[in-house]
Amino acid sequence: MFTTAFAPKNQTQSGELPRDLFAAIEDLKKELNAVILAHYYQEPDIQDIADFIGDSLQLAKAAAQTNADVIVFAGVHFMAETAKILNPDKLVLLPDLTAGCSLADSCPPQEFAAFKAAHPDHLVVSYINCSAEIKAMSDIICTSSNAVKIVQQIPKGQPIIFAPDRNLGRYVMEQTGRDLLLWQGSCVVHETFSEKKIVQLKIAHPQAEAIAHPECETSVLRHANYIGSTAALLKYCQTSPAQEFIVATEPGIIHQMQKFAPDKHFIPAPPTNNCNCNECPFMRLNTLEKLYLAMKNRAPEITMSEEIRLAALRPMQRMLEMSV
Ligand code: SF4
């Protein structure tokens, strides 16, 4: 099992770095026939050099469609694994192999196998933010964009385990009226937002709309004017007539929000403590320097056994079929 660990920012042996990293990365892209896929939570420089920026569902679809020989995945480990599951013959690089995910780590495969065995009549729907081993034990994968749509397509009366995120699971239960058996996992970033500070911000900015990701706790979601996946939040802030938004998700997305709606004002929802805990420490392990070095060295590479890959592919394909 891959386990999240903090690593020093410069853990990779850098050697000589070119003066113009952007130009050097562009050259390597051509040389390798590589595509750079980046999550919205990546630092702005990485978003700016990426060929494709998206949330988990958009990136999974982009990974499934690419003709590139090399996928450089600027995101966290489970996302790069997803790209490898869909592209066994391509080289998949992750700039920092220790870029994990607290949510994925909150669902250890052995414990989940026992939980599943205790409920043999249940169908397993797993949020894409989980390891390849958990995907391999699942019937259908979902993302925050399509979780409601996927659960709605499952016949009523079929018992369902929903893993690993309990907050998204609760949100899906509310939206569908279905009773889901929830694995009690969560994301440290989305559980950090302070309900009290969001309410204070709403009082100080009465015209602002609060927008939130469904991985947030119910206490935060109840103050949201709009709840949606990262991609849905990005779209909403462009179409809403509001000029000001309190954004309760990882603040990396604000870089794109400002690009698409330059005249609007975005306020990151504050964490409970006076810290930067609303920034995903795992996503931020990737840097432009590490991305360059990964391309130059063709490493670190994502690998997995073919048995796990094939077992994880089946529920991924079901998701892609059910979310068209
Ligand atoms: S924001 Fe949360 S769910 Fe997303 S990668 Fe970071 S720890 Fe995982």
Side-chain angles (χ1 to χ4, degrees):
M1 186 190 70
F2 176 82
T3 306
T4 293
F6 287 91
K9 273 261 181 195
N10 293 318
Q11 64 146 26
T12 317
Q13 288 302 312
S14 58
E16 280 292 301
L17 287 172
R19 211 173 280 163
D20 186 345
L21 271 177
F22 283 93
I25 289 170
E26 289 297 346
D27 288 346
L28 281 169
K29 251 199 263 184
K30 287 188 201 109
E31 188 185 320
L32 299 176
N33 186 26
V35 65
I36 300 176
L37 307 181
H39 193 273
Y40 287 126
Y41 298 170
Q42 291 293 285
E43 63 177 43
D45 278 352
I46 292 182
Q47 292 191 33
D48 290 344
I49 193 89
D51 299 292
F52 190 87
I53 311 164
D55 65 3
S56 304
L57 178 61
Q58 294 169 322
L59 292 174
K61 284 184 173 168
Q65 287 162 7
T66 184
N67 291 321
D69 296 319
V70 177
I71 297 174
V72 186
F73 208 105
V76 294
H77 193 272
F78 77 81
M79 297 177 178
E81 267 188 344
T82 304
K84 186 67 182 177
I85 291 165
L86 296 166
N87 295 281
D89 300 328
K90 295 188 197 298
L91 176 66
V92 178
L93 302 172
L94 181 64
D96 190 321
L97 207 54
T98 66
C101 166
S102 63
L103 177 54
D105 285 353
S106 69
C107 194
Q110 267 193 338
E111 290 172 34
F112 188 70
F115 182 70
K116 184 183 164 184
H119 303 93
D121 56 334
H122 283 56
L123 198 82
V124 178
V125 178
S126 294
Y127 184 30
I128 198 164
N129 295 27
C130 64
S131 65
E133 288 94 336
I134 299 298
K135 288 186 178 75
M137 283 184 251
S138 306
D139 296 292
I140 312 170
I141 299 301
C142 70
T143 69
S144 52
S145 306
N146 62 26
V148 168
K149 192 174 168 186
I150 280 178
V151 168
Q152 278 170 337
Q153 291 175 62
I154 298 169
K156 290 206 170 80
Q158 168 62 57
I160 301 170
I161 289 174
F162 189 91
D165 189 59
R166 62 183 175 203
N167 293 323
L168 178 61
R170 253 186 243 120
Y171 174 73
V172 173
M173 283 169 76
E174 275 173 28
Q175 297 298 306
T176 60
R178 298 290 290 267
D179 189 21
L180 308 179
L181 181 59
L182 303 181
W183 178 265
Q184 295 297 315
S186 62
C187 155
V188 287
V189 176
H190 286 92
E191 287 213 325
T192 199
F193 297 115
S194 160
E195 178 187 12
K196 189 172 156 196
K197 290 183 185 174
I198 289 174
V199 172
Q200 285 169 345
L201 272 175
K202 287 191 87 169
I203 293 166
H205 301 264
Q207 306 302 323
E209 288 194 326
I211 58 176
H213 192 282
E215 279 178 35
C216 295
E217 290 183 309
T218 310
S219 58
V220 166
L221 294 181
R222 80 164 69 100
H223 299 289
N225 300 85
Y226 179 76
I227 298 167
S229 67
T230 317
L233 297 181
L234 180 59
K235 194 168 170 196
Y236 180 80
C237 71
Q238 294 166 62
T239 51
S240 164
Q243 292 300 306
E244 212 173 19
F245 299 87
I246 300 161
V247 182
T249 191
E250 217 276 1
I253 184 63
I254 292 178
H255 184 61
Q256 292 300 319
M257 288 175 168
Q258 275 167 342
K259 273 190 179 176
F260 283 102
D263 298 330
K264 296 190 178 182
H265 183 222
F266 301 97
I267 308 164
T272 308
N273 300 314
N274 293 325
C275 58
N276 289 336
C277 316
N278 56 343
E279 290 183 1
C280 175
F282 313 110
M283 288 278 184
R284 306 298 166 117
L285 284 173
N286 293 323
T287 61
L288 203 60
E289 289 80 6
K290 288 181 192 172
L291 191 142
Y292 163 77
L293 288 168
M295 294 176 80
K296 185 170 169 245
N297 300 328
R298 279 75 158 157
E301 180 188 357
I302 298 290
T303 56
M304 73 188 69
S305 77
E306 188 61 1
E307 188 190 347
I308 290 280
R309 190 192 74 78
L310 287 173
L313 178 63
R314 183 182 40 85
M316 287 286 307
Q317 285 173 329
R318 281 195 82 184
M319 171 187 81
L320 293 172
E321 287 157 17
M322 291 170 83
S323 58
V324 283

